[in-house]
Amino acid sequence: MAPAESSAAHGSAARHIQHVKVLGGVLALYAVVATALADSPLDALDGSGSIAWIVAIGVGFFITDATIFSLEGRREAHSVSVVELPLTIGLVLVSPVALLIARVIGSGLALVGPRHSRNVKLGFNVALFAAETATASLLVRVVLGTVAPTGAAEWTVIVSIVLVVNQLAGMVTALAISQFEDDHLKRLGPILLIQAAASVTASGLGAGITALVLISPALGVFPLFAVVGVFVALRDNTSQLQRLDDLKKLYEFTGSVGKNLHPDLLVGEALA
């Protein structure tokens, strides 16, 4: 690459990074304002804003954001998390400020630790998570007020709100990625569809757990078995998709250098 071309490419990359920084700053500011507007806890549990609930939900955010699953759609693997599970629980059991703190700390630690995010990517993702959480809290307060959900209609509203903020977050993420990958927006439809399916499943489980907790905190333990089952199934599916993706890359590489893998080896490796 000629020096002039290299300089132009570097300048373009720097501008794109600056765009992402500005977007992250706007999201962070919005999260603070939206949370302040929504800061009124629902009439749920006695002591619903207790440290125990905040810590438990923060741990939930850490686990779900640290554990990324792969789901296949249109022959492509898409990465998703089930962070809507603790988000749905937190929307009811803790105040908006407490939920925001739990999300920023829990998800932030997951990004820094298991997911090894740094610098601009880390800052943008934390700001996006904060904005997503603040939007959900604000919408719940606008639609339901401060009355805790007691029937199917209220829970449907909460699950729908979680789905909406999930899709909005997916669009904002796609916008940021498109600064570096020109064709990313073309794949947005399948990505949002996969995310919607994961969101409805996770928020539905979260609603079920929270509804039982509102009856008796001890009852909330039983749905956790279903959650563990979902995690195990998704992790197994992710592992299989990763193995198949590795085989595909290996096959394409050997084909590009004029070598062929024996079919028996491929089948044996896939089934191993």
Side-chain angles (χ1 to χ4, degrees), residues 25-268:
V26 171
L27 290 172
L29 178 60
Y30 161 77
V32 172
V33 173
T35 301
L37 293 174
D39 192 27
S40 54
L42 296 182
D43 302 327
L45 294 175
D46 292 333
S48 62
S50 68
I51 296 298
W53 278 118
I54 297 172
V55 171
I57 292 169
V59 170
F61 281 129
F62 175 83
I63 293 173
T64 53
D65 261 321
T67 310
I68 301 300
F69 304 108
S70 292
L71 297 178
E72 189 171 5
R74 295 188 178 182
R75 298 185 178 182
E76 289 188 21
H78 302 283
S79 298
V80 299
S81 71
V82 289
V83 72
E84 292 80 12
L85 175 60
L87 176 59
T88 303
I89 297 173
L91 285 170
V92 177
L93 299 186
V94 299
S95 70
V97 169
L99 181 60
L100 181 65
I101 293 173
R103 180 72 190 274
V104 169
I105 294 177
S107 297
L109 289 175
L111 291 173
V112 173
R115 293 175 61 175
H116 307 294
S117 293
R118 297 292 184 272
N119 302 325
V120 177
K121 184 178 181 181
L122 173 62
F124 173 79
N125 281 330
V126 170
L128 177 61
F129 293 162
E132 179 185 16
T133 303
T135 301
S137 294
L138 183 59
L139 289 176
V140 167
R141 269 61 183 183
V142 168
V143 177
L144 297 180
T146 60
V147 179
T150 56
E154 290 90 348
W155 285 115
T156 300
V157 167
I158 291 177
V159 171
S160 299
I161 287 173
V162 172
L163 174 60
V164 168
V165 297
N166 168 272
Q167 296 293 280
L168 290 174
M171 293 177 189
V172 173
T173 301
L175 178 62
I177 294 176
S178 69
Q179 297 294 310
F180 307 96
E181 298 179 15
D182 294 335
D183 64 339
H184 185 76
L185 290 178
K186 297 178 181 178
R187 306 196 302 272
L188 182 57
I191 292 173
L192 291 180
L193 185 61
I194 292 293
Q195 288 184 348
S199 173
V200 171
T201 301
S203 58
L205 281 172
I209 292 172
T210 311
L212 289 175
V213 167
L214 291 176
I215 297 172
S216 171
L219 293 177
V221 175
F222 294 102
L224 292 178
F225 293 107
V227 173
V228 171
V230 170
F231 261 76
V232 171
L234 287 174
R235 287 298 296 172
D236 182 65
N237 180 72
T238 298
S239 177
Q240 292 298 324
L241 286 176
Q242 184 62 53
R243 290 173 66 85
L244 291 174
D245 185 59
D246 291 342
L247 285 172
K248 179 181 177 182
K249 291 178 180 177
L250 178 61
Y251 185 82
E252 290 174 347
F253 171 75
T254 55
S256 68
V257 296
K259 298 179 181 180
N260 294 316
L261 289 176
H262 195 284
D264 291 344
L265 295 178
L266 282 174
V267 173

